[in-house]
Structures are given as C-alpha cells and as structure tokens.
Amino acid sequence: MSFDTLAGMLALLGQWTARGWLRELDRALAVFLAEQAPDAHPLVILGAALASHQLGRGHVCLDLEATLEDSSFALSLPPDGHQAEAGGSGEPPPVLPAAVLAGVDATRWQAACNASTLVAGGPGGTPLVLAGTRLYLRRYWQYERDVHGAIGARLKAGLARRDALPAAALRQALDTLFPEAPSATAQADWQKMACALAAGNVFSIVTGGPGTGKTTTVVKLLALLQSLHLHGRADADDSVRALRIRLAAPTGKAAARLNESIAGAVRGLRLDGLPHGELVRARIPTEVTTLHRLLGSRPDSRRFRHHVGNPLPLDVLVVDEASMVDLEMMAALLAALPDSARLVLLGDKDQLASVEAGAVLGELCRRAGEGHYLPSTRDWLEAVSGEKVAPQWVDAHGTPLDQAVAMLRHSHRFTADSGIGRLADAVNSGDVPALREIWRLPYPDLSRLSLASPGDAPLRALAIDGAVHQFVNNGRGRYLGGEALPPPVGLRHYLETLHRLQPEANAKQEVFDAWARAVLEAHGRFQVLCALRRGPWGVEGLNQRIAALLVDAGLLTASQGWYLGRPVLVTRNDYGLGLMNGDIGITLALPQVGLDGVPRLALRVAFAAGDGAGTIRWVLPSRLQSVESVYAMTVHKSQGSEFTHAALVLPEHLNPVLTRELVYTGITRARHWFSLASADPTHRVMEDATRRRVRRASGLLDDTLGRDMVGG
C-alpha cells in the first residue's frame, strides 16, 4: 500500500478505524475533505484525521513536531497501549503512524498544508487552520481565539477596576473577614490575598490543592464584594439592589458538592464589625447550578440560550472545579458574560483536565506556583491586606495574567506528617526518589498491595474489607482533632449498613429516607478508582469481578440486572429526573401497596438530592437509561468527589493515559486513607506514570496568540 497517494492514505485510515484506533468520525472527516479537494496531499488528509483524533484525546489541535518526535506517545496509536499484532483472521497488522511518517519532517508537512486549499493560516473559511506547527479544525482554532480575546479584554479592564476600589473600605472588610493579625514570622495569608486580587480584577483565578480552602476563600470573597457594593450606603436595606451573584460547576456532582459545603460556610462567616454584615450574609447565594443549566442548554444542539446577543443577567460568576471546563464550554461561557461582570475560576491546576478538548485552567495557571507579581501589585496587595509578599513571588516582568492568579499554598486537610499529603506532593513534583522514600516509611494513612497473585484473593481483601491489614496497626490508633478516626473499610461496610438498618415494609417514609442517607454515607467511605476503562484492571473488568466476589461473600444476592445493594453511576445528564453525570445512587427498596392492600418492598434507586438538606430522590430503576455499576470508577469520573478511603488500581503495564496528573488526582480523592493496588508486583508503573506529564496540544498562551495576555 502506498501512502503517497490519496487512495492509499484513505485505505490506511480505514484500517485504523476498523481496529478501533481512530473514531469513525475521524475517518469520515478525512473522506469528506478528500472529496472536497481531490488534489490534496495525503499528509494534509492524514493531518486532518489525526487532528480530529486528538480532539477525542483532549488535545485542541495536532502538534506536528510532537507527532514527528514521538508519534506513539503523541497520538496513542494503537490506543490504550494495545499492540499492533495480527488479528485472528491472519491479516497483517496495520502500519503504525511512525512508519507512515518516516522521512517526513515538520517543514515538509507544513509546506503540504500551506499549499492546500483546505488550510489557512488564520481567519477564513477553510476547514483547517495551521498556526506554526499546530494544525487545528477551524472551530477549535476559533474557540481558542475567542477565549484568549475575552480573557485578555477582562485583564485590561482589571486595572481600572482595582484603581476604583475604596482602599480603606477594602482593608477594613478584609481585616474583618480575616481577623488573625499578620505575624512577622508566619507565612502570608494567601486566602486573604486571593480575595484582594479577585476584588481588584474583572477576571481572576483562585487555585490550590485539596484542603487549601478554596470554598472558604470564595465565600469570603463574595462577602467582600457585597460589602464593597454597599459601601457608603447608610440606609442600605433589603430594597437596595445587591450584586447579582451566580455559582456554577461543570458537572452535577461538583455542583451538589459545592452546594452542600457553601451553605455551611456562609452560616459560619464572622461578619461582626462589617457594615451591613447580616444583609451581606443574606445576599450571598448558596444555590449552585451546572454550567449547562446556567447557559440554558438546548436539546440536540451545541448552542445555548445565553450568548453574546443574550448575555447572562449577573454581576459576578464563580465557577468551581474549573479544571474540568473544556475549551468549547469556556468560550461559550465567556461569550455569554456581560462585559462588566466579574468571573472567578476556582480549581486545582494540577488535577486532570477536562474529558473534552482543552486544559484551560492548567494553561492559565502555568506560572501560578512562582507568583510573578509586579512590584506595583505587591505594593497594592500589602497596602490593602496588611500581608507581606515575599520577594520570591515578585517579578518585574510579570504578565497581566499573573496579576489575576492567586495560589493557595497551605493544606488544612493534610498535616505535615500526612502520608497522603506527602505522596500527592511527590507525585505532583515528579520526585520519584521522594516517592520511594515515602513507601519505605510507616505512614499510618497509606497502604500498598500487589494484585499480581494468581486468583482474586488480594482483590477480594481490598474490595470487601479495604485490605485493612495492609495499614499500620490495621488502621487503628489514628486521631484527628483529638478524636479517634474509624479504621478504613471496604464495600462490606455499606452493604452491612444496608441490611442492618433496613426498615420494615410498614415504616414511614422518613425512616426510609434516613436509611438511604445512612447507606449513601457508608458507601462514600470507600471507592475503588481505576486508570482504565477496559481490560482486567479497568472499570469494566473490575466491576464484574468485584460484584461476583461480593456474591461469593454473601453480601449480595445477585451480580446482574437490578438487585438490592447495587450502586450505580449516572453517565449522562438527565434533566427530567434531576440527575447529573457522575451522580451515585444505591438500589434500595421502598414499600409498595399491592392489590391486596398489603405493603411490600419494591426496588428503587436512592440518590442524594445535593441540596444541603439531606433530601433523598427515589427513582424507578426502569427510568434510569444511562447508568452503570460503580464498585469501581475511573479517576476521571471521580473528579469533584472525595472518599474517606480511596484505592487506586494501576495495571501491570504503563499505558498512555497513565500520567502524573491522573495519579495525583486519584491520590487526592482520599480524605483519610489511601491504598495503592498495583497489578505490577514491582510497583514501577506508578513511578513511570509520575515521570510523565499531560501535555495537551494547544496555543492559548503561545507567543503569536497570547502575547497581549501574558506580556511581551
């Protein structure tokens, strides 16, 4: 087969698609473009198919240079680490991209693209755009331009907003919200400085790892903004129009979690001494919605009800878990914001990026760890906050974007002697020697076990009882805040809770609701997390094996269909039922009165409503069309959640999806206990994954597109 002809290239793409290496969508695009331009160079058609393929992997574009340097890593072809062996039919394996691109350099590929009527170097009507060595589908090039332009405009407007703030009122409000006096020896209060920076910008980011207080910070920020809005109004009362504030998150699960935590944070605000303090508290919203609901998603359409011609009616928008927001959604969100509205993004820059294309938060926070604050920003921050900005965070060449980003640096969840915290830090910094040292030390909150033994005995110990024997002193003797922590558990805990507390058929509804709350809480005590979907150590294989192990242990009566105790994960938003992608429910039983008038128990799936009030939503199993069992879930699906005990299962071989960000995200889903379960007896897979970072191809902040955003 010759790859120098269009027919040969299309035939190869067909082979890759038949093997599942490319999506049918990728091949169809290549065929369509070949029909539109029969004289197109095969390298252009190959680039188009691979650019489409990269969108499915989260990349905004195809990086020609990266592809030529290491096509296997850049493209993940074959996918999921599969080898390109011959199939059972005896047909030879498809040719790999490395062989197709042998002898091709970036200059030749660029020249082929530049000579094609399918490609332009910028604005126009071509389906493809070449920017340097990055090949885009035009729509995603435009998204990138739109996001860059919108953020750049807001950064420019930020200086005027900062200069207009009443400095004395700002200082008073910050001192009220953060009453601890600054210490000459203590580290600066980054929460306080984050509030000041966000108040002085139209666009701002607050980033930080788990337990650094992002939710606490944003609640105090909203109190600060409302207080400044009411500043100087001696007669302020309920008739005064408050700032219109909305809170949103990318998924229903993330929205529900923020909804539960923010209500308590608002109630706990100390506002003594703040003018109109109780009015300020009353004007802080506690209802969180999804971005799709906020923008007004339309069925079977990529468009939203709110857009540049119909902007959102708000003054401040806070988006939590912003690392999960993809490029297309960010473009839609920015387009729908009024020019005067503030946008505050919250998130952990080091977590996995969105499943869809783009890693917007990670790119915008690329320099967050070093601060890069201008001397003028330092002087202003110190004046309004009373905090001292250490010289290491100051940079005379800091960019406009740097002045809008605050990184919270102190974890309130993980203490200095926390194994989970130290492990997360080592992975996040790519420090493999530190990783090895951590496993040599007896951290009481960490365990490591091998799943490589014949049979499922290690998996049984992990899934059913959390492999508690692997922890120091079987997990006993740990204290938090002076109180003893319960030892780690496995799935047995929620199933025994289910059976022990199950009400009689004639019990009242509130008794069944209390039962559901107890079972859902017990289920959240333990979760198996996987890097992969397929294979024996992926979600699909492990869910089947764990269900069978629970049946063998007498904890379940069935492992197929609908049965009492089955936990399910919603995999697609269902607005009719009020369920969102990522919601977890447990199959329980509610009384149903038969024709003879006798109440009997019938299966229903119980979901937490996520309203902060403990409401339970009961759903008929037959109404749930997009769910799967969730004895194990992918790390991607776990984002926005936390579990008392999280167990990360890694496969026996390194896989393209195994990266530092995935391992870090898996570790930080654990609140008190973390287990590493590896099918590799040497445990080297984790070390190899720690050495690899996600490098999503994008040009959001490159020299040609992002100069006015990042300076230069």
Side-chain angles (χ1 to χ4, degrees):
M1 181 185 300
S2 172
F3 311 119
D4 294 331
T5 67
L6 205 53
M9 183 61 70
L10 291 175
L12 177 63
L13 296 178
Q15 290 183 7
W16 287 354
T17 304
R19 279 296 186 98
W21 296 8
L22 292 181
R23 301 172 299 177
E24 180 58 37
L25 176 68
D26 308 328
R27 188 197 68 83
L29 173 66
V31 171
F32 172 77
L33 294 180
E35 291 172 349
Q36 302 304 305
D39 60 343
H41 195 288
L43 283 175
V44 176
I45 300 303
L46 173 64
L50 294 179
S52 177
H53 162 74
Q54 292 294 72
L55 288 174
R57 299 183 59 234
H59 298 277
V60 174
C61 56
L62 175 71
D63 188 322
L64 303 184
E65 286 187 339
T67 302
L68 292 170
E69 287 174 6
D70 185 356
S71 63
S72 61
F73 182 73
L75 300 175
S76 186
L77 292 180
D80 289 346
H82 294 168
Q83 299 301 310
E85 70 276 359
S89 63
E91 296 179 1
V95 176
L96 291 170
V100 179
L101 296 170
V104 177
D105 59 23
T107 301
R108 178 183 168 192
W109 208 344
Q110 287 175 283
C113 291
N114 287 326
S116 174
T117 58
L118 297 171
V119 185
T126 60
L128 303 173
V129 176
L130 183 67
T133 60
R134 296 184 308 277
L135 184 65
Y136 294 81
L137 302 192
R138 174 165 293 279
R139 182 153 56 90
Y140 284 86
W141 176 83
Q142 191 62 56
Y143 290 149
E144 198 168 81
R145 289 295 301 257
D146 291 346
V147 168
H148 167 264
I151 293 178
R154 289 177 180 279
L155 290 173
K156 290 178 181 177
L159 285 177
R161 183 71 61 95
R162 189 172 86 181
D163 292 341
L165 288 174
L170 176 57
R171 176 64 185 267
Q172 179 190 1
L174 284 169
D175 287 345
T176 300
L177 292 165
F178 298 90
E180 295 295 326
S183 166
T185 57
Q187 290 187 346
D189 188 337
W190 283 100
Q191 292 187 18
K192 189 176 186 180
M193 292 200 294
C195 285
L197 281 171
N201 280 287
V202 182
F203 171 82
S204 58
I205 298 174
V206 179
T207 186
T212 52
K214 294 186 290 294
T215 301
T216 301
T217 301
V218 79
V219 169
K220 291 185 177 183
L221 169 63
L222 298 181
L224 173 65
L225 294 178
Q226 287 288 23
S227 175
L228 294 174
H229 180 70
L230 297 173
H231 173 66
R233 303 189 188 200
D235 59 344
D237 56 27
D238 288 342
S239 65
V240 176
R241 189 182 81 83
L243 288 174
R244 298 168 298 173
I245 300 173
R246 297 296 302 273
L247 308 174
T251 67
K253 179 171 58 177
R257 183 180 171 197
L258 179 61
N259 201 73
E260 292 171 353
S261 60
I262 205 164
V266 171
R267 287 193 299 269
L269 272 177
R270 297 172 59 183
L271 300 176
D272 299 338
L274 192 70
H276 317 298
E278 289 311 307
L279 181 59
V280 166
R281 189 193 310 276
R283 300 294 178 86
I284 301 175
T286 57
E287 180 181 348
V288 187
T289 187
T290 64
L291 290 174
H292 282 86
R293 279 190 178 275
L294 177 75
L295 293 175
S297 60
R298 295 178 173 178
D300 303 319
S301 172
R302 304 181 83 100
R303 300 181 181 275
F304 295 98
R305 186 164 53 86
H306 290 288
H307 46 75
V308 67
N310 180 32
L312 290 160
L314 52 77
D315 300 304
V316 180
L317 175 63
V318 176
V319 179
D320 193 26
E321 296 290 352
S323 63
M324 300 167 67
V325 181
D326 61 89
L327 180 68
E328 181 177 3
M329 175 57 78
M330 188 64 76
L333 183 65
L334 288 164
L337 280 180
D339 291 340
S340 60
R342 296 177 189 268
L343 175 61
V344 181
L345 303 181
L346 300 179
D348 185 344
K349 67 181 180 65
D350 297 313
Q351 275 192 190
L352 279 169
S354 60
V355 175
E356 304 299 330
V360 179
L361 186 75
E363 290 185 77
L364 296 176
C365 292
R366 192 184 298 169
R367 287 156 54 96
E370 297 80 36
H372 297 287
Y373 296 121
L374 292 168
S376 58
T377 300
R378 173 201 59 201
D379 295 344
W380 180 82
L381 268 177
E382 291 184 347
V384 299
S385 72
E387 299 292 323
K388 292 297 182 184
V389 181
Q392 70 196 84
W393 312 122
V394 181
D395 179 1
H397 303 288
T399 69
L401 177 60
D402 294 329
Q403 315 315 302
V405 180
M407 180 172 171
L408 307 182
R409 302 167 190 275
H410 174 66
S411 176
H412 302 277
R413 181 188 303 178
F414 303 130
T415 59
D417 60 349
S418 164
I420 297 175
R422 285 208 60 198
L423 188 65
D425 288 344
V427 168
N428 200 23
S429 60
D431 192 341
V432 172
L435 201 65
R436 293 172 179 168
E437 180 64 21
I438 289 167
W439 289 122
R440 282 195 287 265
L441 297 173
Y443 284 103
D445 54 348
L446 296 178
S447 79
R448 186 167 68 166
L449 67 155
S450 172
L451 301 176
S453 303
D456 276 339
L459 178 62
R460 180 184 295 108
L462 176 67
I464 294 179
D465 292 307
V468 66
H469 64 283
Q470 295 291 131
F471 287 92
V472 175
N473 197 28
N474 290 322
R476 300 186 181 278
R478 283 190 66 203
Y479 290 84
L480 184 67
E483 295 187 6
L485 277 177
V489 297
L491 295 171
R492 180 193 300 276
H493 175 67
Y494 96 87
L495 290 168
E496 289 186 342
T497 300
L498 183 159
H499 294 298
R500 185 178 70 255
L501 300 181
Q502 184 170 6
E504 298 293 333
N506 59 357
K508 295 181 178 180
Q509 182 61 48
E510 53 263 33
V511 177
F512 281 92
D513 287 348
W515 175 46
R517 282 192 292 271
V519 175
L520 285 165
E521 188 278 331
H523 184 268
R525 294 275 302 277
F526 174 73
Q527 184 63 56
V528 174
L529 305 176
C530 301
L532 311 177
R533 278 208 62 84
R534 295 181 293 275
W537 304 112
V539 165
E540 294 174 0
L542 280 177
N543 271 322
Q544 295 177 8
R545 291 160 65 189
I546 292 174
L549 291 171
L550 292 170
V551 171
D552 290 344
L555 295 168
L556 290 178
T557 58
S559 61
Q560 301 292 327
W562 288 101
Y563 49 86
L564 188 69
R566 181 191 178 193
V568 294
L569 177 77
V570 177
T571 58
R572 183 180 302 172
N573 291 348
D574 189 327
Y575 294 106
L577 294 176
L579 298 176
M580 298 295 139
N581 186 0
D583 285 349
I584 291 177
I586 308 292
T587 309
L588 301 176
L590 276 181
Q592 179 176 314
V593 178
L595 296 176
D596 57 2
V598 177
R600 296 179 176 84
L601 295 177
L603 292 181
R604 297 290 186 273
V605 185
F607 293 89
D611 55 4
T615 307
I616 297 297
R617 180 180 289 113
W618 297 89
V619 182
L620 276 167
S622 59
R623 297 192 65 190
L624 295 170
Q625 301 303 312
S626 300
V627 295
E628 61 187 21
S629 294
V630 67
Y631 301 107
M633 70 165 62
T634 62
V635 174
H636 269 101
K637 284 289 187 182
S638 74
Q639 286 183 267
S641 298
E642 65 179 25
F643 309 96
T644 307
H645 177 196
L648 177 61
V649 175
L650 297 181
E652 62 267 59
H653 302 298
L654 190 63
N655 184 285
V657 306
L658 282 168
T659 61
R660 182 182 306 177
E661 290 80 0
L662 182 138
V663 175
Y664 169 82
T665 303
I667 294 169
T668 55
R669 296 314 89 201
R671 174 171 279 276
H672 296 314
W673 310 95
F674 175 75
S675 295
L676 174 66
S678 179
D680 166 31
T682 68
H683 296 287
R684 291 294 178 87
V685 168
M686 184 178 189
E687 295 181 6
D688 292 340
T690 297
R691 294 186 178 98
R692 300 167 62 188
R693 300 210 67 169
V694 171
R695 295 293 185 190
R696 288 199 166 178
S698 165
L700 185 61
L701 297 183
D702 81 335
D703 290 339
T704 57
L705 181 60
R707 186 175 294 119
D708 58 330
M709 186 190 296
V710 300

